[in-house]
Amino acid sequence: MMNRSLSVRSKKSHDSPAEKSTPKHRFTMASLRGMQQPELSKKLFKIIKSENHAIGAYESASRERISIASQISDWGEATGDDSISDISDKVGVLLSEMGEQEDLFAQNLEDYRSVLKQIRNTESSVQPSRDNKAKITDEIQKLKYKEPQSTKLVQLEQELVRAEAQNLVAEAQLTNITRQKLKEAYDLHSAAVIERGEKQILLARHMRRLVQLLDDTPLVPGDVRPAFEHSAQARQVLNDAEEDLREWQPSFDAITSSATEMGSNLMPASVAGDTSTVEPSVAGGEDAPAQLESPQEKRDMTGSTMVQGEGYQQQGYQQQ
């Protein structure tokens, strides 16, 4: 959990979060995996990789927003105008919170991306079943052309029957996991977008309240601005923002799922005993990531609060 004082001024430190951070997305040998992906999973592999870059952009935007928040506060102090100094510092607090919300959004997108990986892993596991069926079919056709009386034809046809049976189960598992996880992935994605949007709007509305407190009445040369009289109101705006973030609740309808009837082998429970010939990796074996919580369960454990009086706290999603 992160604690931040009511002010976001740098206190003579010129190191920004953007300068301290290191890029998360570097080229490694793992980047070459795309060339080795089975044909069936190549498109989804590319989508997942692109989403990784998009998430990195949101993380970068979060760091930059927090850095800008500190800069606007320091600038306001440097003007020598007490009113501008007070308002700009509190605007900086809200801007910093907006940056933290961007980081939470990036974390939520990573959860959505993890669900897409489960579809990709299943696609990768089904590819050998397709390839084996196609290979045996091709061998039968070649043998019928070259040696139509060969006794090996019977053996190959028996192998084809087994391969078709395995492939039939694998294809059913693929369509089951694809429908379930696609629904789950974009449940998480859309929920994250809505949460981010509503919280950013909430913070922006409080920022407008802050700016409204600044008197911009023109002065003639020689006149003196009256002392800033809204410090208590400005502090209350931050307190209100804290309370609104703490009390925020999702306002969208839940997406229902019928996948509860599906067994651990990605088939309906009624046919759970009919898939013993399928490789465990197809049915979500060791490579399959753990099940994620539902969006509602995740939100029950989250929050973003600004501490009253001396500062605010930022609590992100707790990964299970």
Side-chain angles (χ1 to χ4, degrees), residues 69-141:
S70 179
Q71 293 175 48
I72 194 69
S73 178
D74 290 342
W75 167 81
E77 183 182 32
T79 64
D81 186 320
D82 289 343
S83 299
I84 293 177
S85 179
D86 197 341
I87 294 298
S88 67
D89 193 30
K90 289 177 172 56
V91 165
V93 172
L94 294 179
L95 284 174
S96 183
E97 182 65 22
M98 288 179 173
E100 296 291 349
Q101 292 299 326
E102 287 296 295
D103 189 59
L104 288 179
F105 179 59
Q107 292 178 37
N108 290 340
L109 289 185
E110 188 61 50
D111 290 341
Y112 137 80
R113 182 170 168 267
S114 294
V115 177
L116 290 183
K117 288 181 180 179
Q118 296 180 55
I119 304 177
R120 181 203 63 193
N121 292 345
T122 307
E123 287 181 337
S124 298
S125 298
V126 170
Q127 186 69 62
S129 173
R130 289 188 179 183
D131 292 344
N132 185 45
K133 176 184 171 183
K135 179 183 177 182
I136 296 174
T137 302
D138 188 51
E139 289 180 358
I140 290 174
Q141 293 302 318

Side-chain angles (χ1 to χ4, degrees), residues 280-299:
S281 58
V282 180
E286 295 180 357
D287 292 337
Q291 292 285 338
L292 297 173
E293 303 91 346
S294 69
Q296 182 61 55
E297 290 171 334
K298 291 176 67 59
R299 275 182 288 280

Side-chain angles (χ1 to χ4, degrees), residues 168-188:
L168 187 65
V169 173
E171 296 290 352
Q173 291 175 321
L174 176 59
T175 187
N176 288 343
I177 197 68
T178 299
R179 287 171 177 264
Q180 179 196 7
K181 295 306 177 181
L182 183 64
K183 200 170 183 178
E184 180 182 341
Y186 283 95
D187 183 7
L188 289 170

